[in-house]
Every structure is written in C-alpha cells, then in structure tokens.
Amino acid sequence: MAVSVEIKDLVKTFGETRAVDHITLTIEPGELFFLLGPSGCGKTTLLRCIAGFHQPESGSIHMGGDEVTRLPPHLRDTGMVFQSYALWPHMTVAQNVAFGLEMRKVGKAETAKRVKDALAMVKMSDRANHKPNQLSGGQQQRVALARALVIHPKCLLLDEPLSNLDAKLRLEMRTEIRRICKEAGLTAIYVTHDQKEALSVADRLAVLNGGVIEQCGTPQEVYLKPRSVFAAGFIGETNFLDGTVKKISGERMIISTPVAEWESIHGLDTFKEGDEVTLSLRPETLHLGDASPGQPNVVGGIVHDTVYLGEVAQHQVRIGGDGGRNLKVFDLNPRILARDGEQAASVWVDAQDVVILPRGNA
Ligand code: ATP
C-alpha cells in the first residue's frame, strides 16, 4: 500500500557543507515525486537520508505516519534503484530478483510467484534465465527495477536511474518507469538533474539549490509560474531582462527595462511600483511578425541568426538597437529565416506570458 513521506526541517551536513539545509516536504501516497537540481544541490543526500544511508543531524522523516529517521535502511521498506544497475553477474535475472526475498527468508513458493509478477511488470518474463551480460543496459535497468519492486516496498527511491542509458532508451524508460510506478501504486521519489525527465514523468517536483527547496509544484506550475530566477533558468530555456515596476493599474502591470516597456498580468499581489524585478520571457512565447492592432508588448527587432530545425527555427533577435539585447525566439512552422543576413521583424508576447520575478542573477 502506498504511503506518504513527510520530511520535516531536515538537516544533513558534511563538515562545512550543509548538503540538506532545513528541508520540509510532504510526498503524497502514490505520488511520483522528483528531486531536481544541478550537481551538488543536495538531491542525492536527501534521497539517501530517506533511504537510511545517511543520518541527518536534525529534523525527522515519517513514512505512512511512522517515524523512520533513525531506522537502519533494511527496516524502512524502501526499494532503491541506482544509476549503476549493480546486478550480480553470476546470477540469472530471476536469481537476481529473488535475492532480496531470500535475504528476508520469504518461502520458496511465495518467492517464485513474486519474482514472476515483478518480471512481468517490467516486461522481462522471457529473460528470466539470462545472465546480466546477455542483456542491454535498458534491460538490466528493468531487472534492477524488478529487484526493487519484488520486496513490495512502501516507497521506491530512484537515483538517476537512466543516466547510463543512451538517449533513445532513456526516452523509452521514462514512460516505462511511470507506468510501472502507477501500476504498482507506489510512492516513488526520483532524483535527476535532467529537467526534461522530470517535466515529462513527475506528478510533482522540487527544484533544489544549495540544499534548500527553491520551488515545489507540478511540472506545469513550476515551468509556467517559476518563483525565482534560479527556478526559471534551471527548468527550460528563457530570456531574462532586468527592470523596474513602473506602474500598476487595474489588472495590469507595466515594467520598464532598458530595451522596452512590458505589460504583464502577473505579480499584482507580490510587487509594488518601484520594485526591482527580473522578467522571464520563454522563447516559445515570443512571436515574430505582425501583432493585432493595439496589442501591447510589440518591439521592433532584427533577426540576425537562425538555427533552422525544420518544424521549428531558433532565432536570435536583437531588440533595442545597437547596445540592445538579444532574445531567443522559438518559431514553430517558421517562415522567417536569417541564416546569412539580417531581417527586420517585430517581436511580440502576450501579457500573460510575461513572468515577473524578484530581481536575481541569472
Ligand atoms: P550530483 O547530481 O552531482 O550527484 P547532488 O545534487 O546529488 O549532486 P549531493 O551528492 O547530495 O548533490 O551533494 C551535496 C553536497 O554535499 C555537495 O557539496 C557534496 O560535495 C557534499 N557531499 C555529498 N556527499 C558527501 C560525503 N559523503 N562527504 C562529504 N561531502 C559530501
């Protein structure tokens, strides 16, 4: 049965480094939750605290309402999947999967049934008698998953499970991992630095930075409504412009930047006139060409560089004249190209896509 995982005010330090810095987080039963962030942000340390491999200095961890903070790993009912599959080379697939059950003294008949079910779930039933060296990387990771699932864990912990796979297999295994977790009805916590993996698979995710949670939410919430320059820049691509709140009137806010004025419908409850802010303009929300008459946020620009990719072109557009700024613009079904020259074009953005953030360094 799926359990909740509650982390309260958790701190884990290594010497001078506070790898986990007062993290509080609740993961709901059956949720597929991602810990996402750059190298060294503390995501593996947090996962290892949940697994019981690290002892935190303070704070608590509860699973299904029971405190597990000081329990050793084998008493926590967590299954762990690592980047390296760590399969026993001399054992068959079935023996590898059965190993954890034998350690737990589960009977022969029950073991056979559970191994069969776990291999069926990861679609490896026909390879039960193969050795790991007869399997591809993706198949080995499926076996590693089966090995974690077979003990019927309360919570599945995955540490960069797809990092060793090639790009095509990674894509395939992303959806497989989600299917398996949902079919098994498991609470799962998944560590990655790959934002596409997190956006495409997670129910919710937390962006970590320097041991603290920068933002937590659904993929769409974090992508569309980032709360900081760090979160906006880490997830997806964006253009940042520093500016100042010039005017708030009714449901709109005007931000002045050195290259143009921008109208936004966001941040009305958060910012006041005179505040220093940073704008985030996602490349796919910027459009080239004619806007409707009277439309705000239309800026003259020069397209001076284009990467043409067929269905989409990635343009560099200079706005604000000489000494102005470059904006990256993604143009679906592109008509304008500037591979070897320059082309004048207007850039426009809808006021709902102008995201305002507290001033920060990109
Ligand atoms: P990566 O994606 O590179 O694995 P991460 O986000 O998982 O990074 P952690 O491995 O949790 O980051 O490390 C967080 C910080 O704690 C880093 O500064 C790291 O150097 C430090 N750290 C982690 N484990 C240890 C350890 N066993 N001893 C000393 N310092 C450690």
Side-chain angles (χ1 to χ4, degrees), residues 14 17 19 38-45 160:
F14 298 104
T17 308
S39 185
C41 70
K43 49 197 190 300
T44 300
T45 304
E160 306 253 9

Side-chain angles (χ1 to χ4, degrees), residues 14-15 17-20 37-46 54 159-160 191-193 208:
F14 298 104
T17 308
R18 196 173 281 175
V20 173
S39 185
C41 70
K43 49 197 190 300
T44 300
T45 304
L46 178 57
H54 285 325
D159 191 358
E160 306 253 9
V191 159
T192 186
H193 60 264
L208 270 69

Side-chain angles (χ1 to χ4, degrees), residues 100-282:
L101 296 178
E102 283 159 13
M103 291 289 102
R104 287 171 169 77
K105 307 267 185 279
V106 175
K108 272 213 162 89
E110 174 70 10
T111 298
K113 180 181 178 311
R114 285 218 225 161
V115 169
K116 190 165 170 257
D117 290 348
L119 287 178
M121 184 160 279
V122 301
K123 297 185 179 157
M124 287 292 289
S125 304
D126 56 341
R127 306 290 160 109
N129 296 319
H130 285 58
K131 293 273 177 58
N133 66 5
Q134 296 172 299
L135 304 176
S136 70
Q139 290 168 333
Q140 290 188 54
Q141 197 52 296
R142 283 174 193 266
V143 178
L145 262 168
R147 192 180 47 184
L149 294 171
V150 79
I151 61 163
H152 293 174
K154 283 184 181 163
C155 176
L156 185 65
L157 306 174
L158 304 119
D159 191 358
E160 306 253 9
L162 306 183
S163 302
N164 280 350
L165 305 182
D166 66 44
K168 189 162 169 281
L169 260 178
R170 272 210 300 275
L171 284 181
E172 185 188 312
M173 284 301 288
R174 272 184 199 171
T175 18
E176 273 297 275
I177 288 183
R178 184 168 169 91
R179 175 189 67 78
I180 290 162
C181 289
K182 293 299 168 189
E183 269 183 38
L186 276 170
T187 309
I189 308 175
Y190 188 128
V191 159
T192 186
H193 60 264
D194 182 338
Q195 34 117 358
K196 291 243 162 76
E197 213 165 285
L199 288 176
S200 61
V201 181
D203 290 323
R204 279 192 312 145
L205 57 91
V207 181
L208 270 69
N209 182 20
V212 302
I213 293 180
E214 193 75 32
Q215 189 167 358
C216 184
T218 65
Q220 217 181 3
E221 279 165 0
V222 178
Y223 187 80
L224 294 178
K225 295 182 180 163
R227 286 214 301 257
S228 65
V229 166
F230 180 86
F234 187 74
I235 299 214
E237 290 193 61
T238 197
N239 299 285
F240 289 118
L241 291 174
D242 284 346
T244 309
V245 179
K246 184 178 172 193
K247 193 163 172 234
I248 298 175
S249 62
E251 297 298 296
R252 311 241 146 188
M253 186 181 286
I254 308 290
I255 317 295
S256 68
T257 70
V259 283
E261 285 192 353
W262 307 86
E263 195 173 304
S264 175
I265 58 166
H266 297 292
L268 295 155
D269 300 332
T270 315
F271 301 103
K272 56 182 191 319
E273 287 177 13
D275 278 355
E276 297 202 319
V277 294
T278 298
L279 297 188
S280 164
L281 305 171
R282 298 271 188 210

Side-chain angles (χ1 to χ4, degrees), residues 47-75:
L47 194 78
R48 291 177 75 84
C49 288
I50 299 168
F53 298 130
H54 285 325
Q55 279 293 310
E57 276 80 31
S58 61
S60 66
I61 302 170
H62 287 73
M63 280 188 196
D66 300 326
E67 174 149 22
V68 300
T69 323
R70 309 279 155 209
L71 276 187
H74 66 282
L75 297 179

Side-chain angles (χ1 to χ4, degrees), residues 21-41:
D21 193 358
H22 296 281
I23 283 186
T24 295
L25 179 66
T26 299
I27 295 155
E28 302 298 336
E31 196 169 32
L32 180 44
F33 192 92
F34 273 59
L35 299 172
L36 179 67
S39 185
C41 70

